[in-house]
């Protein structure tokens, strides 16, 4: 997906770094993503979720809070309240581009921040939290051994994720004083709570408390054995797909009319794993599958192969064509299934002895009280399937190089 680097001014006047992941097709909505405590906008979970939503037509802005990642300023001078202020300013920066966010997504402490900020950001219709704490002060358990020093000396250096950070007394006092229950109860936006039962950093009881405090519409989805940082690609993909499917009930994600001459719109294939061959295949905002190659061919076997997808298209078109014909005739066809096998065989008309052509064998299963004449007629109709005709007659393929935005 195309990604645009941009900056905006944070709460303290410092320049904050952001990435805007944009759909290659129609822009249907905008989301604002808040990352976890001391993380950055570029952690794998944020990147994968943003890319997956962009494939569904939802632009996603992810940015580094003050003093983190590529943003200017000092982390030691920030508080939970300043993070919320940065979120509001990020939303204003999007609104200034005509892309005001209608969806907020927050991971861990970022989830608590979006719950706090949502009522002050106009136009937000939906909020999704991932592994969020009900009590923002929960984050202090990450440096509990330094709390006495911070209280006595005003600040202390702590190790978080293998990196040194200076935490000040103002941060501790601010984050422990914050109470989200009233904010959640007064929230007008729809809420989706995503949480892993085995989350070792933020326990599942936090999800229960957030869910209980919210009014409907609200939903909860478990992330099973995912870790707190959602480091596995499959878990991030799942979270993104759940968010995209859920938010369709609250945002208008209807795409505009397809371009002239493209009645089914654009099918977009985007590389998902450059180390192998995994591909994300999207057809508009509603349909998504994955394509891959078997392990023996250097893939990760997480999706159908290209030839299996081609066979699936032939089989699906055949089954649909038979159903449509039987329905028009009023015939008692109760079920259709089509087995498709693909191979390369020597062509009888091939010019060279070693020339091979592709062969697809369809085995059609018909169920219902059909007589022999009806079965034979349906077999004839199978050859009138549009995809069958396309494969038999061939198609013209035009290849163009896309012009960078």
């Amino acid at each position: 997906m195309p990604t645009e680097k941009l900056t905006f001014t944070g709460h303290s006047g410092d320049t904050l770094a952001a990435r805007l992941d944009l759909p290659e097709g129609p822009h249907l909505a905008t989301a604002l993503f808040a990352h976890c405590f001391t993380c950055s906008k570029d952690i794998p979970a944020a990147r994968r979720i943003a890319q997956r939503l962009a494939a569904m037509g939802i632009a996603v802005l992810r940015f580094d809070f003050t003093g983190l990642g590529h943003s200017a300023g000092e982390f030691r001078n920030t508080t939970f309240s300043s993070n919320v202020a940065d979120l509001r300013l990020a939303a204003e920066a999007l609104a200034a581009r005509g892309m005001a966010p209608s969806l907020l997504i927050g991971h861990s402490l970022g989830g608590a921040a979006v719950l706090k900020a949502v009522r002050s950001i106009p136009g937000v219709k939906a909020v999704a939290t991932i592994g969020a704490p009900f009590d923002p002060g929960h984050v202090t358990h990450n440096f509990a051994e330094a709390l006495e020093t911070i209280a006595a000396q005003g600040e202390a250096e702590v190790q978080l994720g293998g990196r040194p950070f200076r935490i000040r007394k103002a941060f501790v006092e601010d984050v422990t004083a914050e109470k989200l229950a009233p904010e959640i109860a007064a929230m007008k936006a729809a809420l989706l709570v995503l949480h892993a039962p085995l989350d070792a950093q933020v326990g599942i009881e936090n999800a229960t408390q957030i869910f209980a405090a919210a009014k409907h519409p609200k939903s909860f989805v478990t992330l099973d054995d995912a870790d707190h940082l959602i480091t596995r690609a499959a878990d991030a993909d799942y979270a993104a797909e759940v968010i995209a499917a859920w938010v369709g009930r609250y945002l208008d994600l209807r795409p505009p009319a397809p371009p002239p001459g493209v009645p089914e719109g654009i099918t977009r294939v985007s590389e998902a794993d450059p180390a192998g061959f995994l591909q994300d295949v999207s057809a508009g905002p509603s349909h998504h599958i994955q394509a891959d190659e078997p392990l023996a061919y250097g893939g990760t076997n997480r999706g159908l192969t290209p030839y299996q997808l081609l066979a699936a298209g032939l089989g699906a078109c055949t089954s649909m064509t038979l159903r449509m014909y039987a329905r028009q005739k009023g015939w008692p066809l109760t079920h259709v299934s089509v087995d498709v096998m693909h191979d390369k065989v020597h062509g009888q008309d091939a010019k060279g002895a070693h020339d091979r052509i592709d062969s697809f064998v369809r085995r059609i299963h018909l169920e219902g009280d059909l007589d022999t004449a009806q079965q034979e007629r349906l077999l004839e109709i199978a050859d009138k399937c549009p995809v069958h005709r396309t494969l038999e007659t061939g198609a013209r393929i035009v290849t163009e190089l896309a012009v960078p935005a």
Side-chain angles (χ1 to χ4, degrees), residues 32-49:
L32 176 57
F33 190 104
H35 62 70
C36 49
F37 183 55
T38 69
C39 298
S40 79
K41 66 182 183 303
D42 297 315
I43 65 167
R47 185 176 65 251
R48 289 196 66 84
I49 290 172

Side-chain angles (χ1 to χ4, degrees), residues 224-276:
D224 296 329
D225 60 346
D227 60 17
H228 180 66
L229 293 180
I230 319 294
T231 53
R232 289 188 309 211
D235 293 328
D237 285 340
Y238 176 70
E241 289 173 10
V242 169
I243 293 170
W246 168 82
V247 82
R249 296 186 65 88
Y250 308 104
L251 305 183
D252 184 4
L253 298 180
R254 290 174 297 179
V262 190
E264 295 181 342
I266 297 172
T267 298
R268 178 160 292 108
V269 180
S270 178
E271 188 176 57
D273 183 4

Side-chain angles (χ1 to χ4, degrees), residues 132-134 138 195-197 199 201-211:
F134 176 68
H138 179 278
H195 212 110
D199 190 327
Q201 298 297 315
V202 180
I204 189 66
E205 69 277 3
N206 288 271
T208 302
Q209 292 170 303
I210 292 172
F211 190 83

